[in-house]
Amino acid sequence: MRSPPAASKATAFIALALAFAAPAAGAAEPASLIDLPVVAGRVVVPAAQFRNAAARAARKGSPVEIALAVAGAFEGQQQLIVQVNEGAESPSASRVTVIRDGLLDDAVRSERWDIDLARTSAGPWKISQVNKSWRCWRGAPTAGFAAQPCP
């Protein structure tokens, strides 16, 4: 009996490896925290809660500096900051998303801040709106962010 050629063995091995890897890949979390959906709304944060950040914005802070002032001190495993500007050279608006994961909380796993900023006619930024949502360690939601409190 002849043994199969080496190329056939390699192809069979690759097919077998892909078959074992496929279920695991489907069960994995998204590649990045930014890919997690906001599945059940956001809470609008009242302006009184980010008064210090608004003062920083008036003093010509950058959108990221302002967003971090809104979100406050970070205590967790990882932090992801994404800034998207409207207009590249001299943006008129900016959205900064701050996602903090692995929080030192037994209920809340992650928090997401979406901070919308607009440039004033004088030049500095003004905070237009701040939204916040959470992802829980257990219960709903764990696959995405939501406005509901974690159990």
Side-chain angles (χ1 to χ4, degrees):
M1 177 170 198
R2 273 175 53 188
S3 60
S8 294
K9 285 182 182 178
T11 304
F13 176 75
I14 291 171
L16 184 61
L18 289 174
F20 282 115
E29 287 198 18
S32 175
L33 290 169
I34 198 70
D35 294 331
L36 288 172
V38 178
V39 294
R42 299 174 170 106
V43 171
V44 176
V45 178
Q49 290 186 14
F50 55 84
R51 192 163 299 161
N52 291 340
R56 179 182 296 266
R59 291 190 311 269
K60 298 189 178 188
S62 74
V64 171
E65 289 172 332
I66 297 163
L68 290 175
V70 168
F74 171 56
E75 293 180 0
Q77 250 181 343
Q78 62 179 316
Q79 176 170 263
L80 174 69
I81 303 166
V82 176
Q83 178 181 355
V84 178
N85 291 332
E86 187 176 297
E89 193 168 317
S90 181
S92 59
S94 185
R95 171 174 266 192
V96 180
T97 300
V98 178
I99 300 176
R100 294 171 167 179
D101 189 54
L103 300 179
L104 304 175
D105 187 303
D106 63 344
V108 180
R109 177 178 180 171
S110 310
E111 62 183 15
R112 176 182 173 131
W113 298 83
D114 291 298
I115 298 103
D116 294 327
L117 302 133
R119 191 178 296 278
T120 66
S121 58
W125 293 97
K126 179 182 179 222
I127 300 171
S128 304
Q129 186 168 343
V130 175
N131 295 298
K132 189 175 180 184
S133 53
W134 299 267
R135 182 168 71 137
C136 304
W137 282 110
R138 60 189 175 282
T142 58
F145 291 90
Q148 62 210 47
C150 295

